[in-house]
Amino acid sequence: METREHYFNRINRFGRISFTIFFVLIFTIPTIVCAAYDIFPGLATVLKATLGLFLILTPIAVSEIVSFVPLLGSGASYLTFETGNVSNIKLPCAMNALKLAGVQPASEEGEVLSTISVAVSSIVTTAVIILAALLLAPLAPVFADPAVKTATANVLPALFGALMVSFLAGGDAGSVVIKGQWKAIILPALVVAVVHYLVFPIKGWEGVTILVLLPVTILGARFLYKKGQITVTPKVAKD
Amino acid sequence: MEFFDVANGSLLFVLVGAGIAYVMVQCALFMRISLKRARELGIDGKVISNTVKSSIVFTIAPSIAVALGLAAMAPSLGIAWPWFRLSVIGSVSYELMAANMATSALGFAKLADAAKAGAEPLGAIMYAMTGGLAGAIILDIIFIKKVDSLAVRLKTKAGDFGVVAIGVLFFAVLAVFVVPFFGQGLVAVATFATSVALTLVLAFIAKKFRIAWLGNFILAFSLILSMCSSVLWTALVK
């Protein structure tokens, strides 16, 4: 059997190489199209159009790496960041899979299951989008239906309501049972409430806010743990 | 050459298809490596099967929202490019904004105006949307391994609290997304509350009546049903 370190290095080597090829590939597409139709834009035009996006998306990437990689593990992270739709599909999907399996993030089992979950999720999303692309004309009335628009516009409240219950419930976490973990959300929720409603709306700043909240959340949890409000006990094996 | 001759041209479809096929092969290879590792770790086949099934069901409803993003972008950018961006690398929440930012930097008031100016703006828009993510991809390639390794080390070093610390990281994500719902109007709040209630009820039913399979689909069912409930709440609020 491979050691953990060997597996870790192997999955990262594969992730880095395949992600680098992907990086080249995504620039190849506009390059071939521009060459074939002779529509190359000027460098200054491209830089001007790119700069704004670059300045917005790069800090978001920093916050996503710091916040999500410890939860997803390496393999799932490469796939998640490559296939996009991170916080609305891939991260919740992987977290749900770990919760159902009763394993913790940043564990060997967690790393493996989250990678399987994100791979499956990416294939399903791609299949749904292919279907939608193929059926765009016949599905146009469905997509234009106000009920469908309303339902899909509310995907985030629907998603995070279910996730919140599932995660605040705590309990089984691999080889241990955690009690009182839900109390650790009070401090970050209060901070977000104060900032969002009294200082400035965080819409568009979610990534940065998560980044700032991570140490706040961990320190709050540490305080509760020290005070005995959050407890960790070994799981008693069932006969 | 007109904008949509290129945007809906067969060349772009072939290139995009090849790009998506590459990522699908990558997904399959990541899965193969993980499945092999799962067997080595002695993870029960049932656990893996449940992971696959719950991930499929869980993904369908939010993917429909992404498909709707495709329908929203297609009239401005054609089908092929939004299909690529929404299948890989892009996010339904950022893509339209990215396309609009690139368009306005080119001096057009909106995407529709760029489409009237021939095929040239399409090349610039595609490059800009790709280049905007270059920094993110380079950071991913460099730092995923380092951050993951650091997280595992810190978790081990912190002992029992390490398990708690990793567990509460997701709370920061929950707080950032959940708290603003309360300022987004009654429909968002009612949908959120419905989702909470449905999750609790389904969990109770699964436990009380010992319906093991239901336990794997609680989140997916709550998600789909509460999305549907938002239609009812919208009608009632009106």
Side-chain angles (χ1 to χ4, degrees), chain A residues 66-68 70-71 95 99 104-106 167-168 170 173 178-189 210 213-225 229-232, chain B residues 155 160-176:
Chain A
V66 175
S67 324
F68 300 160
L71 294 167
M95 291 300 97
K99 193 79 192 169
Q104 272 277 301
F167 278 86
L168 295 190
I178 305 174
K179 285 189 178 156
Q181 197 176 24
W182 64 269
K183 294 167 191 164
I185 202 172
I186 296 171
L187 181 61
I210 290 171
L213 276 185
L214 289 178
V216 172
T217 310
I218 291 175
L219 287 174
R222 177 91 184 153
F223 175 78
L224 291 166
Y225 177 76
Q229 293 293 315
I230 298 175
T231 57
V232 181
Chain B
K155 185 187 169 197
D160 277 352
F161 178 69
V163 184
V164 177
I166 291 290
V168 300
L169 282 182
F170 194 60
F171 288 6
V173 181
L174 286 176
V176 164

Side-chain angles (χ1 to χ4, degrees), chain B residues 28-143:
Chain B
L29 291 173
F30 264 111
M31 248 184 108
R32 208 178 107 185
I33 297 171
S34 302
L35 285 171
K36 184 173 170 251
R37 184 64 179 163
R39 278 194 293 273
E40 286 178 354
L41 292 173
I43 297 175
D44 194 343
K46 210 171 168 186
V47 171
I48 294 167
S49 156
N50 283 340
T51 299
V52 172
K53 281 188 222 161
S54 66
S55 300
I56 291 172
V57 178
F58 182 91
T59 304
I60 290 173
S63 295
I64 293 170
V66 179
L68 213 66
L70 174 71
M73 289 173 77
S76 321
L77 282 171
I79 296 173
W81 186 245
W83 172 35
F84 181 65
R85 296 287 299 196
L86 292 172
S87 298
V88 300
I89 205 78
S91 165
V92 69
S93 19
Y94 293 126
E95 283 309 287
L96 211 49
M97 177 199 83
N100 277 311
M101 278 185 70
T103 312
S104 84
L106 295 174
F108 297 101
K110 47 185 194 277
L111 265 170
D113 296 339
K116 286 177 195 154
E120 284 78 9
L122 181 64
I125 290 169
M126 287 198 297
Y127 267 121
M129 288 173 78
T130 309
L133 279 164
I137 296 174
I138 291 168
L139 290 173
D140 290 338
I141 292 169
I142 297 172
F143 289 108

Side-chain angles (χ1 to χ4, degrees), chain B residues 196-229:
Chain B
V196 169
L198 280 169
T199 310
L200 290 169
V201 169
L202 289 173
F204 174 77
I205 292 171
K207 197 173 176 185
K208 176 88 180 168
F209 300 103
R210 295 182 183 182
I211 311 172
W213 67 266
L214 180 61
N216 293 322
F217 298 105
I218 290 172
L219 217 67
F221 288 164
S222 303
L223 170 64
I224 294 166
L225 291 173
S226 46
M227 277 171 76
C228 294
S229 80

